[in-house]
């Protein structure tokens, strides 16, 4: 008899897998984007099950609220029936298949030594995880350097996009 | 005594009674708490939706007053029962799905629209012990719920297979994505002051010190403006624009499907009014009055305080909606990107610095200093704008010598 957490895990895993398959198989681009949103939402559910509330909410804000909506926006700006008639694969599919097979083998190689057991679950963190995350990101002995590097990278991307879109008179 | 207990804390008494009842039936602990939680969810959602029915009457009555009309006044006293015939009409109306529509997406959009509003009530603290859940990422959760609102508008606009609907959806997404930035930044200001993202902790911090509109008045103003834009209400109702794109994204919806969009919009406005109360006007507190009159510090009166503040916030949103005319889309985007966004970032930085310098000080130093820093940021902004406008006027004013060219 699975407990409630396991039931929720299987439900969200099924949601992720089914909708991820549908993202690449449905003909309609908008439907693909909507299934992508379902996939991303399933991942957010997984984060909730892992008691990573912050990651779950950020997953929804960033991936569904910004990226997926930008996808849909871009698709809507193109022609409505774009790509819905054309074949879904191109001449490179054998290469893609090979790369995916390699990735599968690699993941299997890494995973083979794992012991999947509930006894190995680490003890849940005590205290405010959000505060711990914030302190870790700003503490000089922990992750402040990667954090700042990431922000510089984003700033560079921001300036680059402004430069590209700048209307030079 | 138990009668008084029930009136001051009805939810707590009902919760204890239900738990005792189910446990008395020999139910295991897990199922008791699951069942009580489910009943709590149903009660909360039903409460929000019944409130929504009355909001239809409030909205129609208030808009009528703003426009010098009487509003609904035939069904029941003051037209109070007008929403019920409205609902019956919406339900028995034929539900048309356009032939070219994408049926599944078309029918899902109103559901997601209503859902994006109702899930906000999950973290809405009505009193110290009356709330759905106390998320430690509550403020981010509000933004995440807003993402589903945007999604529903896009789905409705695209699936209707109608040019006006699609135009409305485009405008709506442009508004929502751009005004989300000042909204998030101003939401961060109570977070910085409190040191927590939980709405409950933010309310408690205000009850223990002062309401945050005294600490961050400018943040409250920016929050109000960008929240109205997120709601898509006038002066930012370009996504509906009755006169140009005939109500935009929900043009093809009829009957109860339209009803869900309409009800969702009203409930969203009311909820945003409540969030203003929770984030800036002290949540379930009575502005210090509850320290003098201890009976105000009970869950029942706490909930009345939150719902009353929500009603006042809703009234302010309506007041703006029915007074200010719609602005043009380029003005709206320029207003956001060139004015609100830089201003909110500057305000956040100034307030974070002032807060970290003065947070150890007494309240009578801290609050005026924070207030003055807000006024200062606002004044500097206005000076910059005035200078800018003067330069533009001067550039036009100087006569150009004709012979030079």
């Amino acid at each position: 008899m699975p407990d409630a957490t396991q039931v929720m895990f299987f439900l969200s895993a099924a949601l992720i897998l089914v909708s991820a398959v549908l993202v690449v198989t449905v003909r309609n681009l908008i439907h693909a984007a909507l299934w992508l949103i379902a996939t991303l939402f399933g991942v957010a559910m997984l984060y909730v099950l892992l008691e990573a509330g912050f990651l779950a909410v950020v997953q929804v804000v960033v991936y569904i609220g910004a990226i997926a909506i930008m996808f849909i926006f871009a698709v809507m700006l193109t022609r409505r029936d774009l790509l819905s008639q054309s074949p879904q694969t191109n001449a490179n599919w054998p290469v893609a298949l090979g790369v995916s097979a390699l990735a599968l083998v690699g993941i299997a190689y890494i995973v083979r030594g794992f012991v999947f057991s509930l006894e190995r679950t680490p003890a849940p963190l005590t205290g405010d995880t959000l505060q711990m995350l914030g302190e870790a990101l700003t503490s000089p002995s922990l992750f402040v350097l990667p954090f700042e590097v990431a922000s510089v990278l984003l700033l560079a991307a921001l300036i680059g996009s402004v430069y590209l879109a700048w209307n030079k008179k | 005594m138990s009668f008084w207990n029930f009136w001051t804390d009805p939810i707590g008494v009902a919760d204890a009674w239900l738990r005792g009842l189910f446990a008395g039936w020999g139910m295991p602990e897990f199922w008791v708490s699951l069942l009580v939680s489910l009943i709590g969810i149903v009660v909360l959602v039903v409460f929000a939706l019944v409130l929504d029915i009355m909001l239809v009457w409030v909205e129609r009555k208030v808009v009528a007053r703003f426009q010098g009309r009487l509003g609904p006044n035939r069904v029941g006293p003051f037209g109070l029962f007008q929403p019920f015939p409205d609902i019956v009409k919406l339900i028995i109306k034929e539900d048309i799905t356009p032939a070219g529509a994408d049926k599944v997406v078309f029918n899902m959009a109103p559901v997601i629209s209503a859902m994006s509003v109702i899930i906000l009530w999950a973290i809405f603290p009505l009193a110290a012990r009356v709330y759905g859940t106390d998320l430690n990422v509550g403020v981010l959760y509000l933004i995440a719920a807003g993402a589903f609102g945007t999604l529903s508008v896009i789905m409705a606009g695209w699936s209707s297979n109608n040019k006006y609907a699609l135009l409305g959806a485009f405008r709506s997404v442009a508004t929502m994505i751009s005004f989300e930035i000042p909204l998030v930044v101003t939401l961060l200001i109570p977070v910085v002051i409190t040191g927590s993202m939980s709405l409950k902790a933010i309310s408690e911090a205000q009850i223990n010190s002062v309401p945050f509109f005294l600490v961050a008045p400018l943040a409250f103003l920016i929050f109000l403006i960008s929240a109205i834009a997120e709601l898509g209400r006038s002066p930012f109702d370009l996504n509906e624009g009755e006169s140009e794109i005939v109500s935009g994204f929900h043009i093809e919806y009829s009957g109860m499907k339209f009803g869900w969009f309409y009800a969702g919009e009203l409930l969203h406005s009311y909820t945003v009014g409540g969030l203003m109360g929770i984030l800036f006007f002290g949540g379930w507190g009575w502005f210090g009055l509850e320290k003098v009159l201890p009976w105000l510090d009970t869950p029942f009166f706490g909930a009345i305080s939150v719902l009353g503040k929500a009603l006042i916030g809703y009234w302010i949103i309506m007041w703006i909606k029915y007074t200010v005319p719609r602005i043009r889309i380029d003005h709206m985007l320029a207003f956001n990107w060139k004015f609100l966004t830089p201003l909110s970032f500057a305000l956040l930085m100034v307030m974070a610095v002032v807060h970290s310098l003065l947070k150890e000080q007494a309240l009578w130093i801290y609050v005026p200093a924070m207030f003055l820093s807000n006024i200062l940021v606002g004044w500097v902004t206005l000076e910059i704008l005035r200078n800018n406008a003067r330069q533009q006027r001067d550039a036009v004013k100087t006569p150009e010598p004709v012979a030079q060219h």
Side-chain angles (χ1 to χ4, degrees), chain A residues 8 25 62 97 118 139 142 151 155 167:
Chain A
M8 285 312 290
T25 50
V62 173
L97 190 67
L118 287 178
S139 135
L142 289 166
S151 65
L155 184 67
N167 187 11

Side-chain angles (χ1 to χ4, degrees), chain B residues 82-129:
Chain B
Q82 182 65 42
F84 299 100
D86 284 357
I87 292 170
V88 171
K89 177 219 163 197
L90 281 176
I91 289 175
I92 61 178
K93 198 170 172 177
E94 187 189 353
D95 226 353
I96 300 165
T97 306
D102 190 328
K103 289 202 175 50
V104 178
V105 182
F106 184 83
N107 289 321
M108 259 170 74
V111 179
I112 293 186
S113 169
M115 181 202 84
S116 77
V117 180
I118 293 172
I119 57 175
L120 289 177
W121 283 76
I123 59 161
F124 210 84
L126 287 171
R129 278 178 292 123

Side-chain angles (χ1 to χ4, degrees), chain B residues 32-52:
Chain B
V32 169
S33 57
L34 183 74
L35 203 58
V36 171
S37 306
L38 278 179
I39 292 173
I41 292 170
V42 171
V43 167
L44 187 67
V45 170
V46 167
F47 174 73
L49 291 176
V50 169
L51 202 68
D52 201 8

Side-chain angles (χ1 to χ4, degrees), chain B residues 32 55 94 144 159 278 297 400 402:
Chain B
V32 169
L55 289 182
E94 187 189 353
S159 65
I278 288 165
D297 197 14
E400 268 184 48
V402 183

Side-chain angles (χ1 to χ4, degrees), chain A residues 97-118:
Chain A
L97 190 67
V99 172
S100 326
L102 264 181
L104 183 66
V105 171
I107 292 171
Y109 181 74
I110 295 169
V111 165
R112 83 193 188 293
F114 282 15
V115 180
F116 293 101
S117 140
L118 287 178

Side-chain angles (χ1 to χ4, degrees), chain A residues 1 4 28 30-31 34 37 41 53-54 57-58 60-61 64-66 69-70 72-73 76-77 80 128-131, chain B residues 30 100 102 105 135-137 140-141 143-145 147-148 150-151 154-155 158 161 166 169-170 173-174 177 180 197:
Chain A
M1 173 73 188
N28 190 321
I30 294 269
H31 288 179
L34 292 174
I37 288 175
F41 189 72
F54 179 73
V57 177
V58 166
V60 173
V61 171
I64 297 179
I69 286 184
M70 276 297 162
I72 298 182
F73 208 56
M76 286 202 305
L77 285 171
R80 190 188 156 97
D128 194 348
T129 49
L130 191 60
Q131 200 165 4
Chain B
F30 170 75
D102 190 328
V105 182
L135 281 185
N136 63 349
V137 286
L140 271 178
Y141 177 88
I143 306 296
F148 286 103
T150 316
L151 182 66
I154 289 192
M155 285 168 71
W158 178 78
N161 192 21
L166 197 59
F170 278 154
V173 173
I177 286 182
E180 211 166 52
M197 282 206 235

Side-chain angles (χ1 to χ4, degrees), chain B residues 310-377:
Chain B
L311 205 56
I312 294 171
Y314 178 50
W315 193 82
I316 292 173
I317 293 172
M318 277 192 288
W319 184 16
I320 295 169
K321 170 170 178 170
Y322 295 117
T323 314
V324 185
R326 187 179 305 141
I327 66 173
R328 228 167 62 192
I329 189 151
D330 55 330
H331 288 175
M332 184 194 77
L333 292 177
F335 176 66
N336 176 59
W337 290 107
K338 296 180 183 167
F339 178 68
L340 275 190
T341 305
L343 175 61
S344 55
F345 275 113
L347 184 66
L348 175 65
M349 285 188 245
V350 168
M351 294 206 66
V353 169
V354 176
H355 171 76
S356 55
L357 286 179
L358 293 177
K359 65 182 169 196
E360 308 295 334
Q361 303 293 327
L363 215 54
W364 65 271
I365 303 178
Y366 174 78
V367 173
M370 290 293 261
F371 187 85
L372 285 179
S373 71
N374 269 260
I375 302 291
L376 191 72
V377 171

Side-chain angles (χ1 to χ4, degrees), chain B residues 178-235:
Chain B
S178 28
F179 278 88
E180 211 166 52
I181 295 164
L183 187 74
V184 172
V185 175
T186 45
L187 278 175
L188 278 179
I189 288 173
V191 173
V192 165
I193 301 173
T194 319
S196 168
M197 282 206 235
S198 137
L199 292 186
K200 183 167 167 273
I202 290 176
S203 302
E204 272 163 1
Q206 295 177 77
I207 290 167
N208 294 330
S209 59
V210 288
F212 285 160
F213 78 96
L214 289 174
V215 181
L218 193 58
F220 166 66
L221 271 183
I222 300 175
F223 177 80
L224 176 63
I225 295 172
S226 38
I228 291 175
E230 283 282 297
L231 288 170
R233 296 206 126 197
S234 182

